[in-house]
Amino acid sequence: MKEIKLYTEYIKLDQFLKLVNEASSGGEAKVMILASEVKLNGVVEIQRGKKIRPGDIVSVENRSYKVI
């Protein structure tokens, strides 16, 4: 699991996917989220504007990112 440090209070899920290079654009992130390819804390997340905060774990396929 890779740790990702936030320097703000939160980041939106679609922006986070771009930050960690899982998506190359906001449009690609939207498609991934709507296709139920993204999990937040072990649960499929379909809200692209969901706020990701320190302590959350975002998973895409077999890759996981812990927000610190």
Side-chain angles (χ1 to χ4, degrees), residues 2-68:
K2 188 172 182 182
E3 292 188 342
I4 305 296
K5 176 127 178 89
L6 283 189
Y7 296 96
T8 58
E9 181 183 348
Y10 65 87
I11 186 172
K12 292 183 180 178
L13 181 56
D14 57 350
Q15 295 171 337
F16 182 82
L17 293 174
K18 293 190 300 183
L19 174 71
V20 297
N21 294 316
E22 287 290 344
S24 59
S25 67
E28 183 179 353
K30 178 182 176 182
V31 169
M32 291 172 64
I33 294 165
L34 292 177
S36 300
E37 296 177 9
V38 181
K39 290 184 179 180
L40 174 60
N41 300 321
V43 179
V44 172
E45 182 57 63
I46 58 170
Q47 297 178 40
R48 65 189 268 199
K50 182 74 173 178
K51 293 178 180 176
I52 308 302
R53 300 176 188 274
D56 286 336
I57 296 175
V58 178
S59 302
V60 180
E61 296 178 2
N62 61 347
R63 296 175 299 282
S64 295
Y65 305 92
K66 181 174 184 176
V67 181
I68 58 172

